[in-house]
Amino acid sequence: MPNSVPNIVIHRLPFYLRALEMMAENGQVVTSSQELGDRLGISSAQIRKDLSHFGEFGKQGTGYEVDYLRQQLRRILKIEALWGIAIVGAGDLGHALVNYAGFRERNFLVETVFDMDPKKVGTPIGSLKVEDQSQMLQRLKELDIKIAIIAVPARNAQTVAELLIEGGVRAILNYAPITLNVPDEVCIEYIDPVIALQSMTYYLERESMEQKRAVSE
Amino acid sequence: MPNSVPNIVIHRLPFYLRALEMMAENGQVVTSSQELGDRLGISSAQIRKDLSHFGEFGKQGTGYEVDYLRQQLRRILKIEALWGIAIVGAGDLGHALVNYAGFRERNFLVETVFDMDPKKVGTPIGSLKVEDQSQMLQRLKELDIKIAIIAVPARNAQTVAELLIEGGVRAILNYAPITLNVPDEVCIEYIDPVIALQSMTYYLERESMEQKRAVSE
DNA sequence: TAGATTGTTAATCGATTAACAATC
DNA sequence: TAGATTGTTAATCGATTAACAATC
């Protein structure tokens, strides 16, 4: 794949888009790499460089039209049309995810939610009903689902991932606190709040006299 | 700050730790940079290099003692003792976070949860009661809270962040879909599932005949 | 025209990796 | 001893930034 765009650039584009969406909401018509950079804590040069991988979207002297750049970024990220997603795991987290309005607002539609616990199967969450995980393979194919979110305990996550992939899923957002093994052609992203906290405590000082007692093991 | 460890290295350490915790659970006594790397999809050289910023933890010929390296990483990340955290926002997400057992298991204790909605104040979540956001400043100081999680709508997030910082918070995990402006000395990490999804769709193909219709604006 | 800002180049900076002596 | 694996060096690779001609 010659001249492929660096992954790190792709990961910044959604942040550019998010800032542009907000500007558009506020009725702002044009912006500049300088302004975007200030908002996002990124240099203006980096923003121009990143965008230059995909074409020329601005005008010298004036900057970028918010609406146009927003449309272009949506096209580049392939999020102009709706993507259906499946959620696996109907615990507290699964519930919160199914009910999260931000997916629909930003063109992702939660089409189905699965759980392996017979007591949960059939119970309603929002407008959906929890489906049986044993039917997952078949249902994923029926619905032509390409994106899934894993919200099951760590010990089940690898098995679930394999089942998802067998069912045709090509992008996985994994909330289980474990690194998964997936083929190269499958995209995977991780969300683990504890990992995020742990990389901040490094920078904190333990200053208080009375340290809180550690959990005994 | 001479010779400071790159931020990207700090961000990998929690993943090393998470893998080691799992090995320890399985009763594994020693590991190698090779094995850790294979598990995490990272080169063995990178793992050795990362660790070398902090000292020598292995033995030539045999590798690393799982338990020892785990202890050292906990010390480096300053997570040997318990950290108290506050959660702001008692919606679906706030609920899921307060009830998430993974915090306690990994040495973070949710000490309090706030909301600005009078109807939510006083209601129980797990063993906590939702507190009034107007009391937040005072309560943060009383409890000596250094770490907080923002789980409020985007439009309120900046104000909440400023209040948290005024209350002494030095590390913020922000779930609101907006980039926040905080002073240099405050750590901030972001979790936005939609951003994670959007950087995966770039790599997906729109192959199906019938594209799902986009949301109209 | 004067001022502003883009897109792009080249230089700089930083991170990753290959390789290997040291040594368990 | 032979095999394995560390910690570290130097080379490579890639990303960021400064600077500026082009031009709106």
Side-chain angles (χ1 to χ4, degrees), chain A residues 35 77 84 217:
Chain A
E35 189 190 29
L77 292 172
E217 324 192 34

Side-chain angles (χ1 to χ4, degrees), chain A residues 126-193:
Chain A
S127 61
L128 298 179
K129 260 192 191 156
V130 177
E131 299 196 53
D132 193 326
Q133 213 164 294
S134 66
Q135 306 298 308
M136 191 160 84
L137 199 56
Q138 178 194 334
R139 289 288 285 146
L140 289 172
K141 290 176 183 169
E142 275 175 30
L143 296 166
D144 194 28
I145 300 269
K146 297 292 168 212
I147 304 176
I149 300 181
I150 296 181
V152 303
R155 66 181 170 282
N156 300 327
Q158 180 64 42
T159 309
V160 166
E162 286 163 15
L163 201 58
L164 287 168
I165 293 165
E166 200 188 332
V169 164
R170 288 293 166 266
I172 295 174
L173 177 53
N174 178 36
Y175 277 82
I178 182 175
T179 301
L180 299 177
N181 217 282
V182 299
D184 279 351
E185 71 273 16
V186 175
C187 299
I188 185 151
E189 295 278 330
Y190 294 92
I191 289 184
D192 180 345

